Amino acid sequence: VSTQSTGDLKEMDVSFEGLVQTARTTFENIKTVSAREDIHRSLHLKLLSNLARVLNSTKVMLPDTSTDLAARLLSAVARGRGSHVPNETQYLDKRLPDVTIINCMREFTPKECTYYLHRLGITPVTMVTHTTLSDPIVGSINRLTDTFISGLQENFPSTVNTVMKTAAKLQSLPANDRNCELCLLPIVTVDNLEERLSGLMFGADLCTGCKVSLSESEESVAGLVCRSEKQKVLEVLEEFLIEQ
């Protein structure tokens, strides 16, 4: 890492202190594990993309396997993110113009990865997340779908492959000038002033999925994005003003 990049990382570390505190406060006010998992993933990707820019990288590679992505597909539909399924499950996620998210392990199952690591003499490491810590029955939507997919895969080995083939046939949303300020995914355009302004009640322009996840929190997420409250409202109103 260059000296300049190291300096940028130190500046980013300072700037993220406020972000971490805002995120912690937001998490404490969200009661359901499902919502916490959803917001946690959005913030995780946001952090990785910002770090990639600091390091002058145009690619971010994620370790999610085919089983992880198949479970995420079902949970995305259940959480009101059905329109974002292609972005979440395809090999290349181009939600950002300057950073491409790559699901590099998309074609492999956890069992295949474990066998490969065993062959190389490497001990697998299980990441501790909100999902793994939650109850497998009533913990969260993500845990339920993961348990469901894994259970089917044991008895019907083609389950994950079938789900991923179905996901591959779906098309991503066309690019537009509105992206959710939290998960960074495209927002389905709604030409309705009341609907647009309702999204700003959280302090940011959000997609339906993020609105649902944050609906239980009394805290604004304005601290997690960069633009001011006044600027966001003005941008929304400009689209509905009549030019003289």
Side-chain angles (χ1 to χ4, degrees), residues 15-26 43 46 50 181-182 200-206 214 219-229 232:
S15 64
F16 268 95
E17 288 182 1
L19 176 63
V20 170
Q21 182 57 44
T22 303
R24 182 179 293 111
T25 303
T26 301
L43 292 177
K46 197 178 184 71
N50 287 335
E181 295 181 61
L182 193 54
L200 298 181
M201 65 179 292
F202 298 104
D205 195 9
L206 305 176
L214 288 168
E219 296 293 328
S220 168
V221 295
L224 302 180
V225 296
C226 300
R227 298 186 296 133
S228 67
E229 182 81 11
K232 297 165 194 168

Side-chain angles (χ1 to χ4, degrees), residues 202-218:
F202 298 104
D205 195 9
L206 305 176
C207 66
T208 302
C210 287
K211 289 179 187 177
V212 172
S213 295
L214 288 168
S215 60
E216 296 183 2
S217 176
E218 298 178 355

Side-chain angles (χ1 to χ4, degrees), residues 71-107:
R72 188 177 303 155
L73 184 155
L74 297 182
S75 63
V77 174
R79 296 196 316 267
R81 294 185 179 275
S83 59
H84 296 151
V85 164
N87 298 86
E88 295 280 5
T89 59
Q90 61 191 358
Y91 183 71
L92 296 178
D93 183 353
K94 298 182 179 180
R95 70 180 72 181
L96 300 173
D98 56 341
V99 177
T100 300
I101 300 172
I102 305 175
N103 291 310
C104 55
M105 302 300 291
R106 183 181 185 276
E107 303 299 326

Side-chain angles (χ1 to χ4, degrees), residues 28-162:
E28 291 175 353
N29 285 275
I30 297 177
K31 298 179 181 179
T32 65
V33 179
S34 298
R36 290 179 183 174
E37 290 173 343
D38 192 32
I39 300 303
H40 179 271
R41 173 170 171 76
S42 296
L43 292 177
H44 184 220
L45 290 178
K46 197 178 184 71
L47 176 60
L48 290 178
S49 61
N50 287 335
L51 183 59
R53 295 187 185 98
V54 171
L55 298 176
N56 297 319
S57 175
T58 59
K59 304 289 189 300
V60 172
M61 304 178 74
L62 301 180
D64 299 313
T65 64
S66 58
T67 303
D68 296 327
L69 295 176
R72 188 177 303 155
L73 184 155
L74 297 182
S75 63
V77 174
R79 296 196 316 267
R81 294 185 179 275
S83 59
H84 296 151
V85 164
N87 298 86
E88 295 280 5
T89 59
Q90 61 191 358
Y91 183 71
L92 296 178
D93 183 353
K94 298 182 179 180
R95 70 180 72 181
L96 300 173
D98 56 341
V99 177
T100 300
I101 300 172
I102 305 175
N103 291 310
C104 55
M105 302 300 291
R106 183 181 185 276
E107 303 299 326
F108 303 96
T109 65
K111 182 178 290 187
E112 291 172 335
C113 295
T114 301
Y115 284 153
Y116 179 72
L117 293 176
H118 179 73
R119 179 68 178 80
L120 297 178
I122 300 175
T123 303
V125 177
T126 301
M127 297 294 292
V128 178
T129 64
H130 291 285
T131 302
T132 58
L133 292 176
S134 61
D135 189 282
I137 303 300
V138 296
S140 68
I141 294 176
N142 287 336
R143 188 63 188 270
L144 284 172
T145 54
D146 183 70
T147 302
F148 175 70
I149 289 292
S150 299
L152 283 179
Q153 181 69 11
E154 290 182 3
N155 299 315
F156 305 96
S158 62
T159 297
V160 171
N161 186 45
T162 301

